[in-house]
Amino acid sequence: LPDTAGDSKLSQFGSKMLAIFDRARESGAIRADVTNADIALILLASEGIASMATEHSDLPMLRVINVVLDGIMSTTTSLDGPSLSDDELFKMT
């Protein structure tokens, strides 16, 4: 965890990740209006989705990843695998 000086390994890692997203935004690889705060929230939400999805199957998570990435990327990709059925989704929640 970050210490009071803000120079912990986690803080250093976070700073480097933010720099990568800044460069991706500047190069046009990701949308200009996506902020680092948006990306942090996406990562937090993805952690919860991943823990729930991997109990059942990795395929739904792959689709979610593609949907999330398409939301921030300047280009889109095709979705991997089939979508969950309503029954499968109900069982996960």
Side-chain angles (χ1 to χ4, degrees):
L1 295 175
D3 58 22
T4 55
D7 61 357
S8 72
K9 296 293 183 192
L10 184 58
S11 292
Q12 293 172 21
F13 175 76
S15 295
K16 292 188 185 309
M17 288 298 296
L18 294 179
I20 290 169
F21 289 121
D22 288 340
R23 286 196 310 269
R25 192 177 303 102
E26 291 165 6
S27 73
I30 63 174
R31 294 170 42 159
D33 59 346
V34 172
T35 68
N36 289 337
D38 294 329
I39 292 169
L41 288 173
I42 289 168
L43 292 174
L44 287 172
S46 297
E47 180 181 355
I49 294 168
S51 66
M52 194 169 55
T54 55
E55 293 174 13
H56 304 281
S57 169
D58 288 339
L59 288 178
M61 187 60 198
L62 295 175
R63 287 182 59 88
V64 170
I65 289 169
N66 284 336
V67 169
V68 169
L69 289 177
D70 280 352
I72 65 171
M73 302 298 289
S74 58
T75 60
T76 60
T77 59
S78 62
L79 297 177
D80 292 330
S83 178
L84 289 175
S85 69
D86 291 344
D87 289 336
E88 291 170 321
L89 180 60
F90 181 73
K91 288 176 186 175
M92 289 179 64
T93 58

